Amino acid sequence: MACVVPGEESCSKQVKAFLSFCFASSFIYIINDLLDREKDILHEIKKNRPIASGKITVKQAALISIACILISFYLSMAVNIKVFSAVFTYVILNA
């Protein structure tokens, strides 16, 4: 992965920020699937999704979502408060 700003420390921060947003978006998708589970069970295509089909239990999905958001917040704080604020705002606006 090429970094926008050259330098090892800068590159590390960019990777952490990217991964932080990846984990935050995963948290949002899992929460969305948990909330839509009952509707998805009745849907012809969505009934095959892991949570709706029962391949992943509600408890497992909840634990995974908690892990995702904790990792996301940890990584964003490891970069700086501005990245944390951006990730936090993204989660609040989309969850």
Side-chain angles (χ1 to χ4, degrees):
M1 175 175 156
C3 291
V4 177
V5 179
E8 190 173 318
E9 183 179 338
S10 177
C11 185
S12 173
K13 287 184 177 186
Q14 291 174 40
V15 170
K16 287 176 185 173
F18 172 77
L19 290 174
S20 177
F21 273 99
C22 289
F23 280 106
S25 65
S26 294
F27 165 78
I28 292 165
Y29 281 115
I30 294 168
I31 294 301
N32 184 6
D33 279 356
L34 284 170
L35 294 174
D36 292 344
R37 182 175 161 264
E38 297 300 322
K39 288 186 274 181
D40 289 350
I41 289 171
L42 303 173
H43 192 274
E44 185 61 31
I45 296 171
K46 294 180 181 180
K47 69 181 180 184
N48 296 317
R49 289 182 174 179
I51 296 170
S53 70
K55 291 176 185 170
I56 296 177
T57 67
V58 171
K59 183 178 178 180
Q60 289 171 327
L63 290 173
I64 293 167
S65 70
I66 291 167
C68 285
I69 199 62
L70 290 176
I71 293 167
S72 173
F73 286 164
Y74 173 79
L75 289 171
S76 64
M77 285 298 293
V79 178
N80 61 41
I81 192 67
K82 290 179 183 179
V83 172
F84 174 78
S85 297
V87 170
F88 185 80
T89 301
Y90 171 77
V91 169
I92 295 300
L93 292 175
N94 290 286

